[in-house]
Amino acid sequence: MKPVPSHGSALGATTVDDHVALRRQLLRLQRRGRWKAIGLIAPLMVFLALVFVVPIVLLLARAVDNHEVPAVLPQTSIAMKDWNGDAPPTHVLADALIVDLRTSPREAVAEVAKRLNYYQSGLRSMVLKTAREVNNESASNLSGLERLKEIDERWLEPATWSVIQRALPPTTDFYLLASLDLRRDAQGAIVAATGDSAIYRDVIVRTFVISAAVTLLCLLLGYPLAYWIAIAAPRTARLLLLMVLLPFWTSLLVRTTAWVVVLQSGGVVNSLLGWLGLIDPAHPLELIHNRIGVLIAMTHILLPFMALPIYSVMKSIPPNYMRAAASLGASPLRAFLRVYLPLSLPGISAGCLLVFILALGYYITPALVGGPRDQMLSYFIAYFASQVTNWGMAAALSATLLVLVLLLYAVYHRMVGIDKLRMG
Amino acid sequence: MKANSSSARAWVLRTFCVVVLLFLVAPILAIVPLSFNAEPFFTYPMPGLSLQWYRELMESAVWQLALRNSLIVATFATLLASVLGTLAALGLSRNDCPWRAVIMAVLISPMIIPVVVSAVGIYYCFARVGLLNTLTGIVFAHTALGAPFVVITVLATLSSFDHNLMRAAASLGASPMRAFFRVMLPVIAPGVASGALFAFITSFDEVVVVLFIAGSEQRTLPRQMWSGVRESISPTITAVATLLIVASVLLLVSVQWLQGRAARASARSGASG
């Protein structure tokens, strides 16, 4: 086995050289393979980055962005540095503000006035009026502060100026706090918002309650259904699966339309109940544009997402286990609770998490079959983005929803594995 | 006694499940006959039959435009998503693919992120680059939403693909391109096709993004239905819904068929390996 001594050293050297060369070649191949993989993935990655990731990141950045106010009020920004929040407003401050209001374009001033109004209502009209007056006035011998006082007495109050001071930094936590019903008081401490402005905690709680109720309903309806399909003969099972998949494949708008048609006061359900004599046809049940409608329609839409994962887990449970439990003397109920239920638990958790996560982000169905008190977080995001164009609020609520969903997905990934996320 | 109670239990289970299945299917099926109603009501029994709502649909310029837009957008979004998604799945399926978990998370994110958040972000950015109120903008957005489905289905098909086939092709002198088109693509075609169908459906059914970034000239079918449901529902919508239900039944059957084929194909390629 030992190498011949005379050839030993030479042979050993070549093997080491070969080894190094081989290793280098292997590394080069590996590197080339890695680049090949990256090259294949890159087109989609770049595309998604441009049309999906960057837009969402830019949107979320709007939640803390405040660059417009300092851009429109540059002189005021500088003058503000020498002013402490409690002292009466100075002439320097007043002059700076007047210069800013005169030089900035009107739309930009209007935008800033709108922003200041978020901090203190009434400031919008006051700033707009001031801007109008200082632009109209020709030269006057009043000082800046006196002119402001003439336009509105509130310009003499330090509180007004401290609102502007708080609105000036290029970033703000205003929207993020507001999306959780919090705000900063005059001293800058975080306090709970009160009265009419405190609505988002309700919305978040409502979003959770509706999603949880839908998840529970889907579980109650989906678990027995999945069980039946799992134990049915193959031919029956295939037919039953098709019946579960049909609504899954039907357009969301078609399903929502169907529910509106079926549930409305002159609709199929009410006329059927009236015909059966269960209700008085003159007083149909109110099944739509309220919570009942939302729960029915959302359960209908999300039920396949519950039934299918549970079914696929149940199909892998050998029927012998239940027979074994029975032969060992367990009652059917006991066998189910101690053997079948624990074995089907992965399907239950996968289905529940999936349905809950999907329900959290729902917009279309509650908007079409719900009333004003059934709207979820998504509705308010859409409202702020498209109806009142308050990007800060739209972004802050998006961030809240996104954090909720991503946290739950992390759990889903841990428990189920994201690659198991398959549709149909 | 024992047999009785177990059959009673089975009977209870079966009844319950039939009710659940009715709940799933009945509302969809209930709308179909109503589209043939002679009167614009939504109750049974129907006073008579008529095709008037279908005629109205055929004659309506708005619905025609919506259908055309939907078909254009879904077709191009599907093509783009299928090509990009299949390439990405090929890269991800390689053993030497680096940072796989991170890449996968990014590629799948359009499925995970609530569509309102995506839509508002896309609206916010597309406004800046002039893609608002264009079909191109909708195609891009729908490609992003549909591509994850292609990645997932193709990746699943590739996981059972026998890579020795590619080595065999190479050893017989085929270039990598030739080997891909002549050997791999035919085997994974059912996976690509069902991914493409998912992408098509995603685009054809998508309304939230369209609500934000489309003008009245770019209205799609779901967008048109949305305004129909928001205002008072006209029976024309039931005719649209019926046609879409027929289309989804056809799609469902073809996906079942494709998946069956994919399963058989991978079983074959597994057996040969």
Side-chain angles (χ1 to χ4, degrees):
Chain A
M1 279 311 265
K2 279 181 185 171
V4 184
S6 58
H7 292 260
S9 59
L11 197 68
T14 44
T15 2
V16 168
D17 275 354
D18 280 354
H19 198 69
V20 170
L22 214 70
R23 211 183 153 72
R24 206 172 290 149
Q25 208 175 352
L26 191 70
L27 275 175
R28 201 164 49 229
L29 270 176
Q30 264 176 355
R31 213 168 322 135
R32 204 193 298 163
R34 219 176 295 160
W35 279 113
K36 260 188 200 161
I38 292 174
L40 286 166
I41 298 166
L44 183 55
M45 269 304 233
V46 171
F47 179 84
L48 279 185
L50 288 180
V51 305
F52 193 78
V53 180
V54 169
I56 288 176
V57 170
L58 287 180
L59 171 72
L60 293 181
R62 278 304 290 254
V64 293
D65 175 73
N66 194 43
H67 76 275
E68 281 153 342
V69 182
V72 173
L73 304 175
Q75 302 299 327
T76 318
S77 257
I78 296 166
M80 213 40 117
K81 293 204 175 88
D82 300 325
W83 181 70
N84 84 49
D86 305 323
T90 62
H91 288 286
V92 186
L93 221 46
D95 291 337
L97 182 70
I98 291 174
V99 170
D100 283 339
L101 290 180
R102 271 194 177 154
T103 48
S104 300
R106 193 175 299 176
E107 309 87 68
V109 171
E111 179 61 32
V112 168
K114 192 170 106 184
R115 289 234 181 174
L116 291 172
N117 210 56
Y118 297 155
Y119 292 81
Q120 188 176 316
S121 53
L123 271 186
R124 188 182 129 89
S125 55
M126 179 175 158
V127 171
L128 286 179
K129 183 180 162 207
T130 308
R132 219 166 32 237
E133 304 257 330
V134 295
N135 273 319
N136 285 343
E137 263 173 54
S138 47
S140 96
N141 35 18
L142 289 176
S143 76
L145 199 57
E146 283 165 335
R147 273 160 69 191
L148 288 184
K149 182 198 162 200
E150 227 177 42
I151 297 163
D152 199 306
E153 288 277 341
R154 280 175 289 177
W155 282 120
L156 288 186
E157 291 166 19
T160 308
W161 292 90
S162 77
V163 169
I164 296 179
Q165 190 178 34
R166 273 196 287 140
L168 278 175
T171 60
T172 174
D173 57 7
F174 173 80
Y175 302 110
L176 287 174
L177 289 176
S179 75
L180 300 169
D181 284 344
L182 301 169
R183 61 181 185 84
R184 287 184 185 275
D185 62 9
Q187 282 73 45
I190 294 174
V191 294
T194 48
D196 289 347
S197 59
I199 56 166
Y200 302 111
R201 234 173 298 167
D202 273 0
V203 172
I204 294 171
V205 169
R206 181 192 305 162
T207 306
F208 260 98
V209 167
I210 293 179
S211 305
V214 168
T215 309
L216 189 67
L217 284 170
C218 285
L219 181 62
L220 289 178
L221 301 183
Y223 192 86
L225 183 62
Y227 179 70
W228 191 32
I229 304 176
I231 61 167
R235 188 181 284 262
T236 323
R238 211 170 311 137
L239 185 72
L240 297 177
L241 267 180
L242 276 180
M243 287 174 79
V244 178
L245 285 171
L246 174 67
F248 187 80
W249 278 91
T250 310
S251 156
L252 185 67
L253 262 299
V254 170
R255 282 184 278 173
T256 312
T257 310
W259 279 116
V260 175
V261 165
V262 167
L263 293 179
Q264 62 181 244
S265 55
V268 178
V269 170
N270 266 315
S271 60
L272 186 71
L273 290 176
W275 181 72
L276 288 172
L278 292 174
I279 57 162
D280 175 6
H283 301 283
L285 297 179
E286 282 183 31
L287 299 170
I288 200 135
H289 303 307
N290 55 25
R291 193 60 61 89
I292 300 173
V294 173
L295 291 181
I296 292 178
M298 281 184 70
T299 303
H300 181 252
I301 287 160
L302 292 170
L303 185 51
F305 290 94
M306 179 70 82
L308 295 175
I310 296 181
Y311 160 73
S312 70
V313 168
M314 281 176 170
K315 225 176 73 172
S316 67
I317 301 175
N320 303 345
Y321 288 11
M322 287 294 274
R323 266 178 246 138
S327 76
L328 292 169
S331 70
L333 182 69
R334 195 178 156 86
F336 174 78
L337 288 177
R338 298 296 294 275
V339 178
Y340 204 84
L341 189 63
L343 285 172
S344 61
L345 220 48
I348 295 179
S349 56
C352 286
L353 272 169
L354 193 59
V355 168
F356 191 73
I357 294 166
L358 291 173
L360 279 182
Y362 254 64
Y363 169 60
I364 294 298
T365 313
L368 289 178
V369 301
R373 299 189 56 80
D374 308 309
Q375 300 307 321
M376 300 164 58
L377 258 174
S378 292
Y379 172 86
F380 289 87
I381 296 172
Y383 168 78
F384 279 116
S386 64
Q387 252 145 302
V388 293
T389 335
N390 181 344
W391 287 110
M393 242 7 248
L397 290 173
S398 296
T400 310
L401 180 59
L402 206 55
V403 167
L404 285 176
V405 166
L406 291 182
L407 279 178
L408 282 163
Y409 255 106
V411 177
Y412 182 87
H413 185 50
R414 271 274 160 105
M415 291 177 66
V416 189
I418 212 101
D419 47 326
K420 297 255 166 53
L421 194 73
R422 285 198 58 192
M423 308 289 151
Chain B
M1 198 60 205
K2 204 166 174 207
N4 256 345
S5 78
S6 87
S7 78
R9 256 198 315 276
W11 192 81
V12 169
L13 174 72
R14 223 169 293 168
T15 317
F16 181 82
C17 290
V18 167
V19 172
V20 175
L21 285 171
L22 268 179
F23 167 71
L24 275 175
V25 178
I28 300 174
L29 296 187
I31 204 170
V32 174
L34 289 175
S35 69
F36 298 102
N37 201 342
E39 300 288 334
F41 305 133
F42 300 120
T43 47
Y44 292 101
M46 301 192 297
L49 296 178
S50 153
L51 284 171
Q52 56 178 321
W53 313 118
Y54 289 89
R55 199 182 60 225
E56 224 168 78
L57 189 63
M58 294 305 152
E59 286 165 0
S60 152
V62 184
W63 284 105
Q64 298 297 320
L65 178 70
L67 175 64
R68 219 195 56 181
N69 283 337
S70 273
L71 287 175
I72 293 174
V73 166
T75 304
F76 283 100
T78 303
L79 281 175
L80 211 51
S82 305
V83 173
L84 294 178
T86 305
L87 285 178
L90 286 173
L92 277 167
S93 72
R94 293 180 67 106
N95 289 326
D96 43 21
C97 172
W99 318 299
R100 184 179 281 145
V102 179
I103 292 174
M104 198 65 188
V106 175
L107 293 189
I108 290 187
S109 63
M111 270 167 92
I112 292 167
I113 291 174
V115 67
V116 166
V117 177
S118 320
V120 171
I122 290 171
Y123 173 48
Y124 178 70
C125 281
F126 278 16
R128 260 133 255 254
V129 294
L131 281 171
L132 277 195
N133 303 339
T134 63
L135 286 181
T136 318
I138 309 177
V139 167
F140 283 171
H142 283 184
T143 303
L145 294 179
F149 293 99
V150 180
V151 173
I152 289 180
T153 45
V154 176
L155 209 51
T157 318
L158 279 172
S159 71
S160 55
F161 178 76
D162 180 5
H163 285 270
N164 287 327
L165 292 177
M166 293 301 273
R167 270 174 228 130
S171 76
L172 292 170
S175 69
M177 275 300 220
R178 197 179 156 84
F180 171 74
F181 280 108
R182 298 296 291 274
V183 178
M184 190 186 244
L185 196 57
V187 177
I188 65 168
V192 177
S194 76
L197 265 178
F198 276 116
F200 188 88
I201 280 269
T202 306
S203 168
F204 204 76
D205 198 21
E206 205 289 322
V207 63
V208 183
V209 172
V210 175
L211 270 176
F212 279 91
I213 69 170
S216 56
E217 282 300 300
Q218 293 83 37
R219 281 194 167 204
T220 59
L221 225 45
R223 174 69 185 78
Q224 192 59 34
M225 295 189 78
W226 158 273
S227 24
V229 179
R230 286 217 115 176
E231 294 135 30
S232 62
I233 295 194
S234 88
T236 319
I237 288 198
T238 61
V240 181
T242 302
L243 293 178
L244 287 178
I245 291 167
V246 172
S248 56
V249 169
L250 292 178
L251 274 172
L252 171 58
V253 171
S254 49
V255 166
Q256 292 289 312
W257 182 74
L258 278 171
Q259 283 178 346
R261 262 190 65 141
R264 276 197 300 279
S266 68
R268 255 204 313 276
S269 111
S272 70

